[in-house]
Amino acid sequence: MTRSALNRITAGPPEPGHRISFRGAGPTETYPLEELYDLAGRLALHLRRLGLRSGDRIGVLARNSLEWVLLDLAALRLGVMTAGFESGKFTAGRPLLDRYGLALLFSDEESPDTGVLPLAEARRMAFDDIRGDLPAHTYGPDDETTLKFTSGSTGSPKGLAATAGSIDSSLRAVQDMFAHGPGDDLFVFLPLSLLQQRYWVYSALAFGHDVTISTYGAALPALRRTRPTVVMGVPAFYELARRHIEARVTDVAEEERPRALGETARRLFGGRVRYLWTGSAPADPATLRFFHSCGLPVYEGYGMNETCIVTKNHPGATREGSVGRVVAGKTVLLDEHGNISVRADFPVNRRYSYADPGVSERVFAPDATVRTGDVGHLDADGFLFITGRADDVIALGNGRNVALRPIEDRLRQSPEIAECLVFSPGGGELVAVVSPVSGDTDEGAVTAHLRRTNALAARHERVSRAVLATEPFSVANGLLSSQYKPLRQRIRAAFADELADPARGLAV
């Protein structure tokens, strides 16, 4: 039987010749993967001296760094579960240790509480010349390796323990599609608190390629220096990159514009990209076409915390508008209304570890099938199309049902608009909340775009007014998730007064 990817990582050092780099605001750090393995082993020995044993739990609340990766790998080596906490959403301290049963919490935030260690302590332990025997920990498919959290638009985030089998199944499905290997450098900049971002470190160790870790803020300037072959990004990042590219190609004759855009895009991304990866939120079809025309193919996929990757477009199997074909190990089930459920050979889990009463039962069926809450259809060739969320279909006072996502997608097609969500506060009209690209948005341009969009829409799909946010939605102001998805319920609550008052906003 083929050894699982995680067990391959814990069994011994990786093949030489590959590296991991960290590019942020400071100097770049680069380590051969075999040295990374050795450093993680030293850290694991120190953690064992501190009393940690298989089945214990540690937390990491910090920005992307070498220390984050080392703590995660050291925990894997020991059979210790890692809980990744998103900076800005959680606060380091005793309440976090108690709520999630942590033996230790490492953080780049200061805390006087016992059990909270500075992130720098992990580095000190990893670079200490400690020696000792560290038996390889072996994972079974149902063993839980990490605690991950949903974005959570309201209340406390739901906590979900991921199984080794679900991680390994996802890694192998991706490897079968994209064949990452020597010569590849995968560029990762979303928070490592998201388990799927740590997959690419596991992939490097298991399958033999380079990986570069950065941050969202440093990603664009780091791309050219890194010269990656693969970039792991969310749709919002590619929209930002597209605006960045187009802003640099203005004084060019129309017939030369496609060539100039392509050259500028390839230069920005470092000139070695073989493909771009996106998921986590609906991608703008125009942005996908833009990058394809620049010679930088973007492959969109679909998945969620509760399922891992479910579908993916990839070379030789891609269809515009779809999120790809179902990957090996997953089955997509559709009911008569198009509601999507997902069954896995190796489920992420069968319930949440932390959630309000009744939530697990609503999401997980007894056989671990996940009710996603998304609506869509499969075409004759097996490509999945997501048409919206089940709760994004609203009933107006006149009895008409309206699917919000297609309206929002159309309204978002303006260089002035970064995000746009539609609500029906009184059941009789549709009101858009618009996140501007910048703080000096041209209100007239926004209004004109919405009117043009209305002119092409059915009467019951027309927006009557728009509320323009004074600042763009962001992770910092709590209106975007860590994967840069707009949080509908938080946005509705933040603009409740404007939505409820017919006299406020831009008349459309």
Side-chain angles (χ1 to χ4, degrees), residues 348-383:
V348 174
N349 213 303
R350 296 176 178 274
R351 62 178 296 107
Y352 294 112
S353 301
Y354 299 90
D356 292 334
V359 172
S360 285
E361 291 75 13
R362 288 197 296 272
V363 174
F364 296 93
D367 66 350
T369 295
V370 175
R371 305 177 184 99
T372 69
D374 291 314
V375 178
H377 67 272
L378 289 162
D379 71 8
D381 296 317
F383 287 90

Short mmCIF file of all heavy atoms in Angstrom, two decimals, residues 348-383:
data_model
loop_
_atom_site.label_atom_id
_atom_site.label_comp_id
_atom_site.label_asym_id
_atom_site.label_seq_id
_atom_site.Cartn_x
_atom_site.Cartn_y
_atom_site.Cartn_z
N VAL A 348 -13.68 14.90 6.08
CA VAL A 348 -12.93 15.80 6.97
C VAL A 348 -13.27 15.46 8.41
O VAL A 348 -12.39 15.36 9.27
CB VAL A 348 -13.27 17.27 6.67
CG1 VAL A 348 -12.61 18.20 7.69
CG2 VAL A 348 -12.82 17.63 5.25
N ASN A 349 -14.53 15.28 8.69
CA ASN A 349 -15.00 14.83 9.99
C ASN A 349 -16.49 14.54 9.86
O ASN A 349 -17.07 14.69 8.78
CB ASN A 349 -14.73 15.86 11.08
CG ASN A 349 -14.44 15.21 12.42
OD1 ASN A 349 -15.25 14.44 12.93
ND2 ASN A 349 -13.27 15.49 12.99
N ARG A 350 -17.11 14.17 10.97
CA ARG A 350 -18.53 13.85 10.97
C ARG A 350 -19.36 14.87 11.74
O ARG A 350 -20.58 14.77 11.77
CB ARG A 350 -18.76 12.45 11.55
CG ARG A 350 -18.13 11.37 10.69
CD ARG A 350 -18.26 9.98 11.27
NE ARG A 350 -17.66 9.02 10.35
CZ ARG A 350 -18.29 8.45 9.33
NH1 ARG A 350 -19.57 8.74 9.10
NH2 ARG A 350 -17.67 7.61 8.54
N ARG A 351 -18.66 15.83 12.35
CA ARG A 351 -19.35 16.88 13.08
C ARG A 351 -18.34 17.96 13.43
O ARG A 351 -17.13 17.76 13.31
CB ARG A 351 -20.01 16.34 14.34
CG ARG A 351 -19.07 15.74 15.37
CD ARG A 351 -19.81 15.27 16.62
NE ARG A 351 -20.43 16.40 17.30
CZ ARG A 351 -21.74 16.66 17.31
NH1 ARG A 351 -22.59 15.87 16.67
NH2 ARG A 351 -22.23 17.69 17.96
N TYR A 352 -18.85 19.11 13.84
CA TYR A 352 -17.98 20.17 14.34
C TYR A 352 -17.51 19.82 15.75
O TYR A 352 -18.23 19.20 16.53
CB TYR A 352 -18.72 21.50 14.38
CG TYR A 352 -19.10 22.04 13.02
CD1 TYR A 352 -20.43 22.11 12.62
CD2 TYR A 352 -18.12 22.49 12.13
CE1 TYR A 352 -20.79 22.60 11.38
CE2 TYR A 352 -18.48 22.99 10.89
CZ TYR A 352 -19.81 23.05 10.52
OH TYR A 352 -20.15 23.54 9.29
N SER A 353 -16.31 20.23 16.07
CA SER A 353 -15.82 20.10 17.44
C SER A 353 -16.36 21.23 18.31
O SER A 353 -16.57 21.05 19.51
CB SER A 353 -14.28 20.15 17.46
OG SER A 353 -13.74 19.12 16.67
N TYR A 354 -16.58 22.39 17.68
CA TYR A 354 -17.09 23.56 18.39
C TYR A 354 -18.13 24.24 17.51
O TYR A 354 -17.82 24.72 16.42
CB TYR A 354 -15.96 24.55 18.71
CG TYR A 354 -14.89 23.97 19.60
CD1 TYR A 354 -13.79 23.32 19.05
CD2 TYR A 354 -15.00 24.03 20.99
CE1 TYR A 354 -12.81 22.76 19.86
CE2 TYR A 354 -14.02 23.47 21.81
CZ TYR A 354 -12.95 22.84 21.24
OH TYR A 354 -11.99 22.28 22.04
N ALA A 355 -19.36 24.26 17.98
CA ALA A 355 -20.46 24.90 17.23
C ALA A 355 -21.67 24.99 18.14
O ALA A 355 -21.76 24.29 19.16
CB ALA A 355 -20.80 24.10 15.97
N ASP A 356 -22.59 25.85 17.80
CA ASP A 356 -23.83 25.97 18.56
C ASP A 356 -24.64 24.68 18.44
O ASP A 356 -24.50 23.95 17.45
CB ASP A 356 -24.65 27.15 18.05
CG ASP A 356 -23.99 28.50 18.34
OD1 ASP A 356 -23.21 28.56 19.31
OD2 ASP A 356 -24.26 29.46 17.60
N PRO A 357 -25.48 24.39 19.41
CA PRO A 357 -26.30 23.17 19.37
C PRO A 357 -27.12 23.09 18.08
O PRO A 357 -27.71 24.08 17.64
CB PRO A 357 -27.21 23.31 20.60
CG PRO A 357 -26.44 24.17 21.55
CD PRO A 357 -25.69 25.16 20.67
N GLY A 358 -27.11 21.93 17.47
CA GLY A 358 -27.90 21.69 16.27
C GLY A 358 -27.21 22.01 14.97
O GLY A 358 -27.67 21.58 13.90
N VAL A 359 -26.10 22.75 15.02
CA VAL A 359 -25.43 23.15 13.79
C VAL A 359 -24.81 21.95 13.08
O VAL A 359 -24.93 21.79 11.86
CB VAL A 359 -24.37 24.23 14.06
CG1 VAL A 359 -23.55 24.52 12.81
CG2 VAL A 359 -25.03 25.51 14.55
N SER A 360 -24.13 21.09 13.83
CA SER A 360 -23.52 19.91 13.21
C SER A 360 -24.56 19.06 12.50
O SER A 360 -24.34 18.58 11.38
CB SER A 360 -22.81 19.06 14.27
OG SER A 360 -21.59 19.65 14.66
N GLU A 361 -25.70 18.87 13.13
CA GLU A 361 -26.75 18.02 12.56
C GLU A 361 -27.33 18.63 11.28
O GLU A 361 -27.75 17.90 10.38
CB GLU A 361 -27.86 17.79 13.58
CG GLU A 361 -27.46 16.92 14.76
CD GLU A 361 -26.56 17.63 15.77
OE1 GLU A 361 -26.43 18.87 15.70
OE2 GLU A 361 -25.98 16.94 16.63
N ARG A 362 -27.34 19.96 11.18
CA ARG A 362 -27.85 20.60 9.97
C ARG A 362 -26.87 20.45 8.80
O ARG A 362 -27.29 20.40 7.64
CB ARG A 362 -28.13 22.08 10.22
CG ARG A 362 -29.35 22.34 11.08
CD ARG A 362 -29.83 23.77 10.95
NE ARG A 362 -28.85 24.74 11.45
CZ ARG A 362 -28.77 25.14 12.72
NH1 ARG A 362 -29.58 24.62 13.63
NH2 ARG A 362 -27.88 26.03 13.09
N VAL A 363 -25.58 20.39 9.09
CA VAL A 363 -24.57 20.36 8.03
C VAL A 363 -24.16 18.94 7.69
O VAL A 363 -24.04 18.58 6.51
CB VAL A 363 -23.34 21.19 8.44
CG1 VAL A 363 -22.22 21.05 7.40
CG2 VAL A 363 -23.73 22.66 8.60
N PHE A 364 -23.93 18.09 8.70
CA PHE A 364 -23.43 16.73 8.48
C PHE A 364 -24.56 15.71 8.60
O PHE A 364 -25.24 15.64 9.63
CB PHE A 364 -22.35 16.39 9.50
CG PHE A 364 -21.11 17.23 9.40
CD1 PHE A 364 -20.97 18.38 10.17
CD2 PHE A 364 -20.09 16.89 8.53
CE1 PHE A 364 -19.83 19.16 10.08
CE2 PHE A 364 -18.94 17.67 8.43
CZ PHE A 364 -18.81 18.81 9.21
N ALA A 365 -24.75 14.93 7.54
CA ALA A 365 -25.69 13.80 7.61
C ALA A 365 -25.05 12.69 8.43
O ALA A 365 -23.84 12.69 8.66
CB ALA A 365 -26.02 13.32 6.20
N PRO A 366 -25.83 11.71 8.88
CA PRO A 366 -25.27 10.62 9.69
C PRO A 366 -24.11 9.87 9.03
O PRO A 366 -23.23 9.36 9.71
CB PRO A 366 -26.47 9.70 9.93
CG PRO A 366 -27.65 10.62 9.87
CD PRO A 366 -27.31 11.64 8.82
N ASP A 367 -24.10 9.80 7.68
CA ASP A 367 -23.02 9.11 6.99
C ASP A 367 -21.86 10.03 6.64
O ASP A 367 -20.99 9.68 5.84
CB ASP A 367 -23.54 8.42 5.72
CG ASP A 367 -24.01 9.43 4.67
OD1 ASP A 367 -24.11 10.64 4.99
OD2 ASP A 367 -24.29 9.00 3.52
N ALA A 368 -21.83 11.24 7.23
CA ALA A 368 -20.79 12.27 7.03
C ALA A 368 -20.94 13.04 5.72
O ALA A 368 -20.09 13.87 5.40
CB ALA A 368 -19.39 11.68 7.15
N THR A 369 -21.99 12.78 4.94
CA THR A 369 -22.26 13.63 3.78
C THR A 369 -22.50 15.05 4.25
O THR A 369 -23.21 15.29 5.23
CB THR A 369 -23.49 13.11 3.01
OG1 THR A 369 -23.17 11.82 2.47
CG2 THR A 369 -23.86 14.04 1.86
N VAL A 370 -21.92 16.02 3.53
CA VAL A 370 -21.99 17.43 3.92
C VAL A 370 -23.03 18.15 3.07
O VAL A 370 -22.96 18.11 1.83
CB VAL A 370 -20.62 18.11 3.76
CG1 VAL A 370 -20.73 19.61 4.05
CG2 VAL A 370 -19.59 17.47 4.68
N ARG A 371 -23.97 18.80 3.74
CA ARG A 371 -24.94 19.66 3.05
C ARG A 371 -24.29 21.03 2.91
O ARG A 371 -24.14 21.77 3.89
CB ARG A 371 -26.24 19.74 3.85
CG ARG A 371 -26.86 18.37 4.16
CD ARG A 371 -28.09 18.51 5.02
NE ARG A 371 -28.64 17.21 5.42
CZ ARG A 371 -28.43 16.63 6.60
NH1 ARG A 371 -27.68 17.26 7.52
NH2 ARG A 371 -28.95 15.45 6.89
N THR A 372 -23.91 21.40 1.70
CA THR A 372 -23.07 22.60 1.51
C THR A 372 -23.83 23.90 1.63
O THR A 372 -23.23 24.94 1.92
CB THR A 372 -22.38 22.56 0.14
OG1 THR A 372 -23.38 22.73 -0.89
CG2 THR A 372 -21.63 21.25 -0.07
N GLY A 373 -25.12 23.90 1.35
CA GLY A 373 -25.88 25.15 1.29
C GLY A 373 -25.75 25.86 -0.04
O GLY A 373 -26.37 26.90 -0.26
N ASP A 374 -24.97 25.28 -0.97
CA ASP A 374 -24.83 25.85 -2.31
C ASP A 374 -25.80 25.19 -3.27
O ASP A 374 -26.26 24.06 -3.05
CB ASP A 374 -23.39 25.67 -2.82
CG ASP A 374 -22.40 26.52 -2.06
OD1 ASP A 374 -22.68 27.71 -1.85
OD2 ASP A 374 -21.34 25.99 -1.67
N VAL A 375 -26.10 25.90 -4.34
CA VAL A 375 -27.02 25.42 -5.37
C VAL A 375 -26.28 25.41 -6.71
O VAL A 375 -25.51 26.33 -7.01
CB VAL A 375 -28.27 26.32 -5.47
CG1 VAL A 375 -29.20 25.84 -6.57
CG2 VAL A 375 -28.99 26.37 -4.13
N GLY A 376 -26.51 24.37 -7.50
CA GLY A 376 -25.84 24.33 -8.79
C GLY A 376 -26.32 23.18 -9.64
O GLY A 376 -27.37 22.58 -9.38
N HIS A 377 -25.53 22.87 -10.67
CA HIS A 377 -25.87 21.75 -11.54
C HIS A 377 -24.60 21.19 -12.17
O HIS A 377 -23.58 21.88 -12.28
CB HIS A 377 -26.86 22.16 -12.64
CG HIS A 377 -26.28 23.12 -13.63
ND1 HIS A 377 -26.31 24.49 -13.44
CD2 HIS A 377 -25.67 22.92 -14.83
CE1 HIS A 377 -25.75 25.10 -14.46
NE2 HIS A 377 -25.34 24.16 -15.32
N LEU A 378 -24.67 19.93 -12.59
CA LEU A 378 -23.61 19.28 -13.34
C LEU A 378 -24.01 19.22 -14.81
O LEU A 378 -25.15 18.88 -15.13
CB LEU A 378 -23.38 17.86 -12.82
CG LEU A 378 -22.72 17.71 -11.44
CD1 LEU A 378 -22.96 16.31 -10.90
CD2 LEU A 378 -21.23 18.01 -11.52
N ASP A 379 -23.07 19.55 -15.71
CA ASP A 379 -23.41 19.44 -17.13
C ASP A 379 -23.16 18.00 -17.59
O ASP A 379 -22.77 17.12 -16.81
CB ASP A 379 -22.65 20.48 -17.96
CG ASP A 379 -21.16 20.20 -18.10
OD1 ASP A 379 -20.70 19.11 -17.68
OD2 ASP A 379 -20.45 21.07 -18.64
N ALA A 380 -23.40 17.77 -18.87
CA ALA A 380 -23.32 16.41 -19.40
C ALA A 380 -21.92 15.82 -19.31
O ALA A 380 -21.75 14.59 -19.32
CB ALA A 380 -23.78 16.40 -20.87
N ASP A 381 -20.90 16.68 -19.21
CA ASP A 381 -19.52 16.21 -19.13
C ASP A 381 -18.98 16.18 -17.70
O ASP A 381 -17.78 15.97 -17.49
CB ASP A 381 -18.61 17.09 -20.00
CG ASP A 381 -18.97 16.99 -21.48
OD1 ASP A 381 -19.21 15.86 -21.95
OD2 ASP A 381 -19.03 18.04 -22.14
N GLY A 382 -19.86 16.42 -16.74
CA GLY A 382 -19.45 16.31 -15.35
C GLY A 382 -18.84 17.55 -14.75
O GLY A 382 -18.26 17.48 -13.65
N PHE A 383 -18.96 18.69 -15.41
CA PHE A 383 -18.46 19.95 -14.84
C PHE A 383 -19.53 20.55 -13.93
O PHE A 383 -20.71 20.60 -14.31
CB PHE A 383 -18.09 20.94 -15.94
CG PHE A 383 -16.82 20.59 -16.67
CD1 PHE A 383 -16.86 19.78 -17.80
CD2 PHE A 383 -15.59 21.04 -16.22
CE1 PHE A 383 -15.70 19.44 -18.48
CE2 PHE A 383 -14.42 20.71 -16.88
CZ PHE A 383 -14.47 19.91 -18.02
#
